[in-house]
Amino acid sequence: MCSGSFAKCLGITLLPLSILCVLCNILLFFPGGKVADNTADITDEVFYLGGLLGSGVLMIFPALVFLGMKNNDCCGCCGNESCGKRFAMFGSIIFAAVGVVGAGYAVIVSGVAINHGPKCFINDQNVTYPFENGNYLSNNSIWDLCVKPSGIITWHLTLFSILMVASLIEIGLCLFQVINGLIGTICGDCCGCCGGSD
């Protein structure tokens, strides 16, 4: 398969993943699926925008670059068309690195959020983090510490877990593109053998 075609497949896969991450981050602004009375009622890690910026907006750029790789009709440099295609493949490596950084940020934010647990009401007035160091993950009997909003722990765990898994997949796809970009840079867009025509 040509390097450009493979990059296009990666771009097609990254777009829905980035949209999923944006949606997860937006839904986290509604604890338990309900509108929060105050922004202080929302888990702090939601405001770090790991899904919105890291795995969302920052991933759109690599996805669009990868989508355009198949139709790259670079005019080349010094009269050599393959030189331009190779430079475009090299540029895709840089965008893949941006994607890895963005998705990595989302993975870190999600991991921290899962470890901290959700911010919730422990009585009618006090909003706090009732859990420590992820102790609620292995002991669901302490979930009763969260009085409201109802279902906040499941909401928190589900959305941050989806965000983490989707971001890890994005990292994997971007790393594939780094390898693909290196092959395309060294061998050209379609690599029957290195040094062959593109």
Side-chain angles (χ1 to χ4, degrees):
M1 175 186 272
C2 293
S3 302
S5 299
F6 185 70
K8 183 176 181 181
C9 291
L10 293 178
I12 290 170
T13 309
L14 284 173
L15 278 177
L17 285 171
S18 64
I19 292 169
L20 176 66
C21 291
V22 168
L23 289 175
C24 284
N25 203 142
I26 290 171
L27 288 173
L28 283 163
F29 279 103
F30 303 95
K34 298 167 185 66
V35 177
D37 296 331
N38 189 345
T39 56
D41 300 345
I42 300 172
T43 303
D44 293 341
E45 289 81 12
V46 175
F47 293 102
Y48 298 162
L49 304 176
L52 200 61
L53 293 178
S55 287
V57 174
L58 271 179
M59 195 56 67
I60 295 290
F61 298 116
L64 293 176
V65 168
F66 300 165
L67 281 171
M69 293 304 296
K70 172 68 177 150
N71 299 325
N72 181 16
D73 57 351
C74 261
C75 58
C77 53
C78 301
N80 184 354
E81 182 180 343
S82 68
C83 175
K85 290 184 179 184
R86 289 178 183 189
F87 183 75
M89 290 305 291
F90 177 74
S92 76
I93 296 171
I94 295 169
F95 279 97
V98 169
V100 168
V101 170
Y105 173 71
V107 167
I108 292 169
V109 169
S110 299
V112 169
I114 290 170
N115 188 49
H116 281 168
K119 187 187 278 189
C120 61
F121 286 87
I122 55 173
N123 54 42
D124 285 337
Q125 284 118 11
N126 294 336
V127 178
T128 187
Y129 290 97
F131 310 115
E132 295 176 358
N133 297 323
N135 62 349
Y136 72 103
L137 294 170
S138 60
N139 183 7
N140 63 357
S141 64
I142 61 174
W143 287 16
D144 295 335
L145 292 174
C146 280
V147 177
K148 62 179 185 177
S150 62
I152 183 63
I153 298 171
T154 306
W155 183 265
H156 178 88
L157 270 177
T158 301
L159 290 174
F160 273 116
S161 295
I162 290 171
L163 183 57
M164 179 181 273
V165 169
S167 299
L168 286 169
I169 293 170
E170 288 177 342
I171 289 171
L173 293 174
C174 285
L175 290 176
F176 275 132
Q177 180 52 32
V178 167
I179 295 167
N180 182 46
L182 284 172
I183 292 169
T185 301
I186 295 168
C187 297
D189 187 34
C190 288
C191 197
C193 72
C194 289
S197 64
D198 296 323

